Amino acid sequence: MNAKIALAGMLVLGYVLPAAAADSYYIVRDPDAKKCSIVSEKPVSTKVTVVNPDGTTYTTRTEAETAMKKVKVCTDS
């Protein structure tokens, strides 16, 4: 019986964890335009740089916008 409960728990986690990971926002900076923006997927392009402090990901766009105001390379013009 315990094995069935453990298996059911693992199946639920298998569906829930990928969905939770999808709600991540990153602060990125385009060095050519010298502007920061917020993206919902981790960039794979080498043209932009992820500037999240300490590699942090944000769960809401509002949280990322607030953090972007504190990132030095994003506030320097």
Side-chain angles (χ1 to χ4, degrees):
M1 183 69 169
N2 286 337
K4 288 182 182 179
I5 293 172
L7 180 60
M10 288 189 307
L11 288 173
V12 169
L13 285 176
Y15 287 107
V16 172
L17 290 179
D23 293 337
S24 297
Y25 293 92
Y26 299 86
I27 303 169
V28 297
R29 184 172 190 265
D30 183 340
D32 296 334
K34 295 184 180 172
K35 292 191 178 193
C36 291
S37 60
I38 298 169
V39 295
S40 59
E41 294 181 9
K42 189 169 185 175
V44 293
S45 170
T46 57
K47 184 176 178 170
V48 296
T49 304
V50 177
V51 294
N52 292 20
D54 302 322
T56 306
T57 58
Y58 303 98
T59 55
T60 65
R61 186 169 187 86
T62 305
E63 190 179 336
E65 289 169 352
T66 302
M68 188 168 72
K69 293 175 186 174
K70 298 175 185 174
V71 176
K72 185 168 176 38
V73 297
C74 295
T75 57
D76 292 345
S77 296

